[in-house]
């Protein structure tokens, strides 16, 4: 099932059902629309993007090695480096950031900084697994939704005022294009 929600950054597409979310994207996802089945997570995301909530209902889990967001906690162990990275990213508190290198250091291998970047790039659950909180040592880094969306999310979490958030949105109509 697919649900959509209009955000300050544009349309957000959510794939899953009443039990789990398997994909979130800033670009369309194919499938039948059923917002009712996904209302549990849509409301959480809308509340977060409105500045009312700092957490989401559910948990990061892995089913057959794939990251999913589930309503109920599933027991799992991080089997691969990508899963370990996603778990670390999920532990970054609201309004905080970590660099790609800091995450690699926590994994006891500073050479994994580029791998951390690739895991962020391929994260199927942006916002829920907050890859926008992962930044470069000397730059903001990339974001699958585009740099303008990453700036918006970081500004939202930093406590920027409503007016400041609106100004970051109206900088350029093309600023939220996903291919930046």
């Amino acid at each position: 099932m697919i649900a959509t929600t209009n955000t300050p950054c544009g349309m957000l597409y959510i794939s899953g059902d009443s039990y789990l979310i398997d994909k979130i994207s800033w670009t369309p996802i194919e499938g039948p629309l059923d917002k009712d089945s996904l209302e549990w997570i849509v409301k959480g995301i809308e509340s977060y993007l409105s500045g009312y909530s700092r957490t989401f209902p559910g948990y990061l889990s892995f089913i057959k090695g794939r990251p999913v967001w589930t309503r109920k906690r599933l027991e799992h162990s991080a089997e691969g480096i990508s899963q370990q990275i996603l778990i670390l990213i999920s532990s970054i508190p609201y309004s905080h950031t970590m660099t790609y290198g800091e995450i690699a250091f926590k994994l006891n291998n500073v050479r994994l900084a580029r791998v951390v970047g690739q895991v962020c790039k391929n994260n199927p659950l942006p916002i829920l697994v907050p890859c926008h909180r992962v930044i470069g040592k000397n730059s903001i880094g990339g974001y699958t939704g585009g740099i303008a969306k990453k700036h918006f999310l970081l500004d939202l979490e930093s406590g920027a005022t409503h007016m400041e958030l609106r100004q970051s949105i109206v900088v350029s109509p093309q600023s939220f294009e996903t291919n930046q």
Side-chain angles (χ1 to χ4, degrees), residues 1-7 11-18 21 31-46 71:
M1 301 296 151
I2 307 297
T4 60
T5 184
N6 198 7
T7 76
M11 195 62 71
L12 188 66
Y13 301 84
I14 304 164
S15 171
D17 57 33
S18 60
I21 304 305
L33 291 176
D34 184 2
K35 193 167 184 173
D36 292 340
S37 294
L38 297 164
E39 192 163 338
W40 66 278
I41 199 66
V42 171
K43 283 187 175 184
I45 291 171
E46 289 173 347
R71 279 183 105 157

Side-chain angles (χ1 to χ4, degrees), residues 31-119:
L33 291 176
D34 184 2
K35 193 167 184 173
D36 292 340
S37 294
L38 297 164
E39 192 163 338
W40 66 278
I41 199 66
V42 171
K43 283 187 175 184
I45 291 171
E46 289 173 347
S47 180
Y48 162 80
L49 291 171
S50 299
Y52 295 115
S53 179
R54 295 178 173 207
T55 59
F56 303 101
Y59 306 91
L60 174 63
S61 300
F62 299 94
I63 297 178
K64 295 182 181 178
R66 287 187 36 92
V68 294
W69 195 263
T70 56
R71 279 183 105 157
K72 296 182 180 175
R73 186 180 302 275
L74 299 179
E75 292 300 321
H76 61 81
S77 59
E79 296 173 8
I81 194 70
S82 294
Q83 292 176 358
Q84 292 173 34
I85 291 168
L86 290 172
I87 289 168
L88 279 172
I89 292 170
S90 291
S91 72
I92 302 171
Y94 183 94
S95 78
H96 291 78
T97 59
M98 288 181 72
T99 67
Y100 302 102
E102 289 170 333
I103 292 173
F105 181 80
K106 283 190 171 248
L107 295 167
N108 297 317
N109 187 343
V110 294
R111 294 182 182 163
L112 290 176
R114 288 182 188 260
V115 174
V116 172
Q118 287 302 307
V119 170

Side-chain angles (χ1 to χ4, degrees), residues 10-30:
M11 195 62 71
L12 188 66
Y13 301 84
I14 304 164
S15 171
D17 57 33
S18 60
Y19 178 71
L20 67 81
I21 304 305
D22 60 4
K23 186 172 184 178
I24 295 178
S25 179
W26 295 102
T27 58
I29 300 172
E30 295 294 322

